[in-house]
Amino acid sequence: MGAVEAADVDAYLARISASRPASPDLDALTALMAAHLRSVPFENLDIHLGRPIELTEAAVIDKLVGQRRGGFCYELNGGFAALLRGLGYPVTLLQARVYGEALGPPYDHLALRVDLERPYLVDVGFGTFVEAPVPLAPGTWADPAGEVEILSRDHDDLEVRLDGRPQYLLDQRPRALDEFRATSWWQQTWPGSHFRQGPVCSLLTDDGRVTLAGRTLVRHVGGERVETELADAAAALLTYREVFGVELDEEPRLADT
């Protein structure tokens, strides 16, 4: 994956309401990550609109920037990696296996390593997770989202935990975006994939997180969870537009229904 063109960098920065940094340093990376998390939602809506997700750099940037949409990890972190490279950051794509009832398959998740004075874990594609770069080394690190613990595992892998809960097992070998295509397709098509269990759109806010799951709008503010049931498709489309900045011409509905 190469660096994006200067015009694409400017358009991407405008998409996340961020200024071009004076230099590719940690402070700027932290600000860019925060801006991305608050501007580009984590969402799986194309799966429930019957639209295949194309995993190329050009397609990802067009979706996130041109169409002002969000995406899932391959798109969000794939796009953010392209932006960071365009700004002069050394970025490496990493594959991870997500912890659930069992450990997920290889390439279950795409995360980023950004090399500054030390390597940092950067992730804008895992939903409720870290909100700032985290040193990519065994240890315990503070993050706005909670306490991040990184543990050494076999084969030089790293287990990433948030507030004591395992999140994913990270393989430190460099990867290319093409290598994630097979698992991206599997996540879109396998009936048991959690991405096929219902449309979800979620965004970090300054005071919590807001999520639309089906027609249930959930706001987390100051530790409080507030749910609102939307009346119909029109209300859902209005919420996508006004809360998440996502313009749709039809409501995403549960895949295969």
Side-chain angles (χ1 to χ4, degrees):
M1 182 188 291
V4 298
E5 298 294 331
D8 290 328
V9 169
D10 290 337
Y12 206 133
L13 290 171
R15 167 73 173 95
I16 63 174
S17 301
S19 301
R20 182 182 285 268
S23 62
D25 58 21
L26 180 59
D27 287 345
L29 177 61
T30 302
L32 289 165
M33 184 172 171
H36 203 287
L37 287 167
R38 287 164 173 78
S39 302
V40 186
F42 180 93
E43 49 109 324
N44 64 349
L45 305 181
D46 277 348
I47 294 173
H48 300 279
L49 290 166
R51 302 172 185 172
I53 294 169
E54 184 181 353
L55 201 58
T56 66
E57 182 179 282
V60 166
I61 292 173
D62 176 68
K63 183 176 178 181
L64 302 186
V65 179
Q67 301 176 44
R68 301 187 66 83
R69 288 281 307 280
F72 59 176
C73 69
Y74 311 113
E75 301 168 285
L76 297 176
N77 282 321
F80 195 45
L83 171 65
L84 293 177
R85 285 199 179 105
L87 292 170
Y89 285 94
V91 183
T92 303
L93 307 188
L94 302 176
Q95 74 91 3
R97 303 176 66 187
V98 177
Y99 285 100
E101 293 183 3
L103 192 60
Y107 300 95
D108 199 16
H109 180 61
L110 189 164
L112 306 177
R113 188 187 78 215
V114 178
D115 289 297
L116 298 174
E117 76 283 355
R118 66 189 303 175
Y120 284 89
L121 172 65
V122 172
D123 199 331
V124 296
F126 202 59
T128 303
F129 192 47
V130 296
E131 299 175 18
V134 175
L136 188 58
T140 301
W141 316 100
D143 183 84
E147 184 179 84
V148 180
E149 186 178 10
I150 298 181
L151 305 172
S152 295
R153 292 293 182 249
D154 293 341
H155 312 298
D156 203 32
D157 289 348
L158 297 173
E159 180 180 306
V160 182
R161 297 183 176 186
L162 180 62
D163 287 337
R165 298 182 62 182
Q167 303 296 306
Y168 51 69
L169 186 66
L170 192 67
D171 182 335
Q172 297 194 73
R173 291 172 291 182
R175 304 295 180 180
L177 190 60
D178 284 352
E179 295 180 74
F180 294 84
R181 284 185 178 179
T183 309
S184 172
W185 173 83
W186 176 80
Q187 298 281 22
Q188 297 171 60
T189 58
W190 178 51
S193 167
H194 64 273
F195 291 107
R196 292 187 61 86
Q197 305 313 303
V200 173
C201 190
S202 184
L203 192 64
L204 183 68
T205 67
D206 288 339
D207 54 4
R209 176 169 287 274
V210 58
T211 301
L212 181 58
R215 290 184 181 170
T216 303
L217 182 65
V218 180
R219 293 184 183 272
H220 291 90
V221 180
E224 296 289 328
R225 175 187 172 99
V226 179
E227 287 193 13
T228 304
E229 292 297 327
L230 304 183
D232 51 26
L237 292 174
L238 182 65
T239 300
Y240 283 124
R241 180 172 67 251
E242 293 191 346
V243 176
F244 303 99
V246 172
E247 289 276 359
L248 299 175
D249 53 14
E250 61 177 307
E251 181 190 18
R253 301 299 292 163
L254 181 62
D256 300 328
T257 63

